[in-house]
C-alpha cells in the first residue's frame, strides 16, 4: 500500500496540480492574447478596437466569455447531435493537450517525453477533426464545404511542416523538445565569437525553413490569409455557421490555443525557447519563462499583423503554394542540411 | 504495475469495442470515427509497450492523414441505408471467406517458425537494450542500416504506384486557360499600363 501512495498517488496528484496550473495560466493568457489580436487588427486599420469593458478594454474577453456561456445553445434539428457537440470538445481538448510537452523553462515541462516533437505533430494534425466533424454534423451546405476545404488544406500543409521538422531535427539529433532548445546554445554565434547569443538559434542557419514553417503554421491553424475554412465572403462563417453560445466559444478557444501552440513551436524550434538572446549579465538575470513568453508574443504579433494586412488566398493558390512551392523547397532543404552536416562533420 | 494493467485493459477494451462498432454502426461516418478511436487506442497500447515512436507514427500517419481522407470520401458519399441493408446476406459468404483467409494467414504467420525453423534466427535476434538506445534510434538503425535495400525497394514500389495513379488520371484539356504564376510575376509595366484618354478607350 505504501508503494501505491509513493509510486502513484503522490506523482499523480503533482501531475494533476501541474496540469491545472498550466491550464489556468494558459486560458487566462489566451483571453488577453485574443484581445491583443483584436487590438492589433484595430490599430492597423486605425480603429480603437474593444475599449469599453475595463480599462483600455482589458476585460473584453471575459465579458465575451460570460456572453457566450449565458446564451442558449441552438442545435439545428437536422444536425447529428452527438457529433455536433463532440466537435468543439475535440477541437479544444486537442489544442490544450499539445501544451503537455511544451517546456516553458529549463525543466518546466509536464511530460518530458522522448518523442515530444512527434507528439506535437500528431496533436496539431488531429486539429482537423474538430472542423470536419463540426462541418459535417451541422447538416448544412456551407459548413460542409468548409470542412472539405479544411481536410484538404490541413493535410497538405502538414506535409511541409513535417519536412521542416525533419530539417530542424537533423541539426538536433533528438526528438525531445528540451534537447531541441538546448542544442541552440551552440551554433553559428559560437563559431563567430558570440557564444550563447541569438545568432546560435536555428532561425539563422535554417532561415528558409523558418519562413516556411511560419507560413505553414498560418495555414495549419486556418489563420488569415489562409482562412478559407471560414471565408465569410464565400461560406457565411464556414464550419462554425450553425454554432452559437458555448460550443462556438469552444471552437474559438481551441483556435486560439492552437495558434499559441504553433507560436510556442516556432519559438522552440527556431528562436531558442527559453534561452536569453545574449549570454551576459542583464539578459541572464531575466528568468527563462519571461524570454519564452516574449518570443511567443513576438510570433503571435507576426500572426496578428499578417491577419491585418494580407488579403485572403484563393483556394487553388493555396494548394499551389503548399504542394508546388513549399514541398519542393523544404524537401530540398532537408537534402542540403543533411549533406552539409555530413560533409562538415557537424552531425550530432 | 496495477495502473499499467488497468490501462492495458482500458485501451484494449476500447479498441475491441470500437472495432466492433466500425462494422456495426449504421452511419458510415460514425464507422470512420470509431475506426479513428480504435487507431488512437492502439497507439495507447504501443505507448504501454514502450514503443512510443510507433505510437506517434500511428497517430500522425493513420489518424492524421489516412483517416482524414477516409472521412473526406465517406462524407461525400450519398449512402442509401435501406439499399445497404439489402445486400448484406448476399455479400455475407464473400465476407466470411475473406475473414477466414485473413485468420488463417494470421495463424500461419504467428506459428511461422514451426514451418520455417530458420525464421527463429530472425525472431530471436538480439533486441537492443532500451536503456541504452531509444526506440527511434533502434528503428532507424534497423530500417536505414540493416534493411536499407528493402526500404528503398518499398519506396520505389510506392513511387511507381504514385506515377501510375497520376498517369491514369491526368487529362490535359487543350482549351482550358491556366494561370501561369511565373508570367504574372515577371510582367513589366510596359505590357500592362496604358494611358487611356477618356472617351476613346485603349
Amino acid at each position: 500500500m505504501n508503494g501505491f501512495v509513493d509510486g502513484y498517488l503522490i506523482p499523480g496528484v503533482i501531475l494533476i496540480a501541474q496540469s491545472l496550473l498550466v491550464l489556468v495560466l494558459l486560458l487566462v493568457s489566451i483571453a488577453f492574447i485574443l484581445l491583443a489580436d483584436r487590438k492589433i487588427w484595430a490599430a492597423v486599420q486605425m480603429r480603437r478596437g474593444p475599449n469599453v469593458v475595463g480599462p483600455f478594454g482589458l476585460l473584453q474577453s471575459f465579458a465575451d466569455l460570460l456572453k457566450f456561456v449565458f446564451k442558449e445553445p441552438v442545435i439545428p434539428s437536422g444536425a447529428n447531435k452527438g457529433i455536433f457537440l463532440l466537435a468543439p470538445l475535440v477541437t479544444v481538448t486537442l489544442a490544450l493537450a499539445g501544451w503537455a510537452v511544451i517546456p516553458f523553462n529549463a525543466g518546466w515541462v509536464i511530460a518530458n517525453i522522448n518523442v515530444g516533437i512527434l507528439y506535437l505533430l500528431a496533436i496539431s494534425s488531429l486539429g482537423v477533426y474538430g472542423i470536419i466533424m463540426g462541418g459535417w454534423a451541422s447538416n448544412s451546405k456551407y459548413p460542409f464545404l468548409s470542412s472539405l476545404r479544411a481536410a484538404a488544406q490541413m493535410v497538405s500543409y502538414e506535409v511541409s511542416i513535417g519536412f521542416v521538422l525533419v530539417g530542424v531535427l537533423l541539426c538536433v539529433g533528438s526528438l525531445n523538445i528540451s534537447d531541441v532548445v538546448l542544442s541552440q546554445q551552440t551554433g553559428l554565434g559560437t563559431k563567430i565569437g558570440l557564444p550563447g547569443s541569438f545568432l546560435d538559434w536555428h532561425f539563422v542557419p535554417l532561415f528558409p525553413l523558418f519562413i516556411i514553417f511560419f507560413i505553414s503554421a498560418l495555414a495549419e491553424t486556418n489563420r488569415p490569409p489562409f482562412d478559407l475554412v471560414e471565408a465569410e465572403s464565400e461560406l457565411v462563417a464556414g464550419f462554425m455557421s450553425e454554432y452559437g453560445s458555448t460550443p462556438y466559444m469552444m471552437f474559438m478557444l481551441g483556435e486560439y490555443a492552437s495558434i499559441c501552440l504553433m507560436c510556442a513551436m516556432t519559438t522552440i524550434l527556431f528562436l531558442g525557447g527559453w534561452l536569453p538572446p545574449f549570454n551576459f549579465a542583464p539578459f541572464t538575470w531575466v528568468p527563462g519563462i519571461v524570454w519564452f513568453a516574449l518570443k511567443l508574443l513576438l510570433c503571435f504579433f507576426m500572426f496578428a499583423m499578417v491577419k491585418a494586412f494580407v488579403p485572403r488566398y484563393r483556394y487553388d493558390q493555396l494548394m499551389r503554394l503548399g504542394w508546388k512551392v513549399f514541398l519542393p523547397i523544404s524537401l530540398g532543404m532537408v537534402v542540403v542540411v543533411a549533406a552539409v552536416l555530413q560533409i562538415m562533420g557537424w552531425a550530432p | 504495475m496495477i495502473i499499467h494493467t488497468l490501462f492495458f485493459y482500458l485501451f484494449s477494451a476500447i479498441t475491441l469495442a470500437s472495432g466492433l462498432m466500425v462494422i456495426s454502426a449504421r452511419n458510415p461516418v460514425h464507422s470512420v470515427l470509431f475506426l479513428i478511436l480504435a487507431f488512437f487506442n492502439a497507439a495507447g497500447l504501443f505507448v504501454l509497450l514502450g514503443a512510443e515512436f510507433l505510437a506517434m507514427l500511428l497517430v500522425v500517419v493513420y489518424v492524421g492523414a489516412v483517416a482524414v481522407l477516409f472521412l473526406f470520401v465517406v462524407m461525400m458519399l450519398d449512402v442509401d441505408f435501406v439499399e445497404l441493408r439489402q445486400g448484406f446476406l448476399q455479400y455475407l459468404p464473400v465476407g466470411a471467406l475473406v475473414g477466414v483467409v485473413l485468420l488463417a494467414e494470421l495463424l500461419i504467420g504467428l506459428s511461422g517458425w514451426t514451418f520455417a525453423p530458420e525464421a527463429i534466427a530472425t525472431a530471436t535476434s538480439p533486441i537492443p537494450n532500451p536503456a541504452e538506445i531509444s526506440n527511434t534510434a533502434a528503428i532507424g538503425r534497423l530500417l536505414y542500416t540493416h534493411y536499407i535495400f528493402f526500404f528503398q525497394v518499398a519506396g520505389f514500389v510506392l513511387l511507381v504506384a504514385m506515377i501510375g495513379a497520376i498517369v491514369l488520371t491526368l487529362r490535359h484539356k487543350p482549351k482550358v486557360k491556366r494561370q501561369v504564376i511565373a508570367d504574372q510575376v515577371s510582367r513589366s509595366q510596359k505590357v500592362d499600363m496604358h494611358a487611356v484618354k477618356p472617351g476613346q478607350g485603349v
Side-chain angles (χ1 to χ4, degrees):
Chain A
M1 200 58 204
N2 215 358
F4 179 77
V5 171
D6 288 341
Y8 292 115
L9 203 61
I10 295 174
V13 169
I14 291 176
L15 199 66
I16 290 171
Q18 283 174 334
S19 310
L20 278 179
L21 183 72
V22 169
L23 197 64
V24 170
L25 289 180
L26 191 68
L27 290 179
V28 174
S29 318
I30 285 173
F32 288 107
I33 276 179
L34 216 159
L35 178 74
D37 193 28
R38 295 170 69 176
K39 280 283 195 187
I40 292 167
W41 200 8
V44 172
Q45 298 176 343
M46 299 173 82
R47 291 184 286 119
R48 280 169 196 261
N51 64 346
V52 174
V53 188
F56 310 108
L58 276 176
L59 300 177
Q60 180 68 44
S61 298
F62 299 98
D64 285 344
L65 170 81
L66 290 179
K67 184 189 80 179
F68 282 129
V69 171
F70 288 123
K71 265 185 172 179
E72 181 196 358
V74 179
I75 301 175
S77 58
N80 196 319
K81 250 182 213 130
I83 296 181
F84 187 81
L85 292 176
L86 194 63
L89 269 176
V90 166
T91 307
V92 83
T93 313
L94 287 173
L96 293 175
W99 287 88
V101 294
I102 298 288
F104 298 96
N105 197 349
W108 288 21
V109 52
I110 296 174
N112 192 16
I113 56 176
N114 274 336
V115 287
I117 291 282
L118 276 179
Y119 174 80
L120 275 184
L121 187 66
I123 290 295
S124 67
S125 71
L126 293 187
V128 65
Y129 280 113
I131 297 177
I132 299 189
M133 285 158 72
W136 178 80
S138 298
N139 194 19
S140 167
K141 281 192 187 69
Y142 291 123
F144 184 59
L145 280 174
S146 156
S147 62
L148 292 183
R149 281 185 175 188
Q153 173 180 343
M154 291 171 86
V155 169
S156 309
Y157 278 84
E158 241 159 60
V159 180
S160 59
I161 284 193
F163 278 116
V164 169
L165 288 181
V166 172
V168 173
L169 294 175
L170 280 173
C171 301
V172 177
S174 164
L175 290 171
N176 185 307
I177 296 185
S178 297
D179 288 349
V180 174
V181 174
L182 291 176
S183 78
Q184 299 182 55
Q185 282 174 324
T186 54
L188 192 73
T190 313
K191 290 196 170 53
I192 62 170
L194 259 176
S197 75
F198 69 94
L199 289 175
D200 280 336
W201 301 343
H202 282 149
F203 81 95
V204 181
L206 303 175
F207 193 70
L209 289 184
F210 176 52
I211 299 296
I212 291 180
F213 185 83
F214 180 73
I215 300 175
S216 302
L218 288 174
E220 183 78 2
T221 50
N222 300 318
R223 280 287 286 189
F226 305 115
D227 61 338
L228 288 137
V229 169
E230 43 184 297
E232 68 274 5
S233 52
E234 305 155 18
L235 296 177
V236 190
F239 65 99
M240 303 188 203
S241 300
E242 305 291 344
Y243 281 88
S245 77
T246 314
Y248 172 79
M249 186 202 69
M250 287 168 80
F251 266 131
M252 187 99 161
L253 181 67
E255 199 179 309
Y256 275 86
S258 58
I259 289 166
C260 289
L261 188 66
M262 278 294 170
C263 293
M265 265 175 95
T266 318
T267 305
I268 286 163
L269 290 171
F270 294 101
L271 299 177
W274 66 79
L275 300 173
F278 290 104
N279 199 13
F280 44 76
F283 297 102
T284 44
W285 291 341
V286 179
I289 185 157
V290 175
W291 287 122
F292 182 84
L294 282 177
K295 289 170 189 175
L296 196 154
L297 287 177
L298 177 74
C299 290
F300 184 78
F301 181 70
M302 296 201 290
F303 264 68
M305 289 301 276
V306 168
K307 175 178 178 173
F309 58 58
V310 183
R312 184 178 290 133
Y313 264 54
R314 218 171 52 207
Y315 195 69
D316 61 315
Q317 293 172 331
L318 174 88
M319 284 295 148
R320 178 186 165 272
L321 189 70
W323 289 106
K324 291 190 179 170
V325 180
F326 284 173
L327 185 63
I329 294 179
S330 54
L331 201 57
M333 272 300 284
V334 168
V335 176
V336 170
V337 168
V340 168
L341 289 176
Q342 186 64 32
I343 292 168
M344 303 300 280
W346 291 339
Chain B
M1 218 50 212
I2 309 167
I3 303 267
H4 195 279
T5 320
L6 272 180
F7 272 105
F8 170 77
Y9 283 115
L10 179 74
F11 285 142
S12 22
I14 298 179
T15 310
L16 287 178
S18 48
L20 196 68
M21 287 306 289
V22 171
I23 51 169
S24 61
R26 282 165 174 270
N27 191 329
V29 173
H30 291 176
S31 289
V32 179
L33 292 175
F34 275 114
L35 184 68
I36 292 160
L37 190 63
F39 281 146
F40 222 85
N41 284 282
L45 287 175
F46 272 132
V47 170
L48 287 185
L49 282 172
E52 69 265 12
F53 182 73
L54 279 182
M56 291 306 147
L57 227 54
L58 186 70
V59 176
V60 172
V61 175
Y62 282 91
V63 185
V66 175
V68 173
L69 297 181
F70 264 18
L71 205 58
F72 191 97
V73 172
V74 168
M75 283 191 328
M76 285 197 288
L77 293 178
D78 186 22
V79 184
D80 186 357
F81 296 112
V82 183
E83 200 178 321
L84 207 68
R85 297 281 133 194
Q86 281 171 350
F88 184 70
L89 273 179
Q90 191 186 341
Y91 294 120
L92 191 62
V94 185
L97 186 70
V98 172
V100 167
V101 169
L102 279 180
L103 184 68
E105 281 177 350
L106 264 181
L107 288 177
I108 292 169
L110 288 179
S111 58
W113 43 86
T114 50
F115 302 110
E118 66 273 12
I120 295 178
T122 317
T124 56
S125 66
I127 296 166
N129 184 0
E132 288 166 10
I133 181 168
S134 73
N135 62 53
T136 314
I139 289 176
R141 191 175 291 174
L142 213 58
L143 269 184
Y144 297 116
T145 308
H146 292 298
Y147 295 109
I148 181 69
F149 176 69
F150 299 102
F151 183 75
Q152 291 286 359
V153 168
F156 264 111
V157 172
L158 282 177
L159 184 68
V160 170
M162 193 176 83
I163 293 173
I166 293 172
V167 168
L168 284 176
T169 53
L170 192 66
R171 296 274 182 279
H172 269 295
K173 289 177 192 161
K175 285 187 182 170
V176 175
K177 289 196 173 168
R178 288 174 200 280
Q179 185 180 21
V180 183
I181 304 278
D183 285 0
Q184 290 186 348
V185 172
S186 63
R187 72 175 185 184
S188 61
Q189 284 194 339
K190 237 187 242 173
V191 180
D192 298 296
M193 301 286 280
H194 301 279
V196 182
K197 284 182 186 162
Q200 293 181 1
V202 181

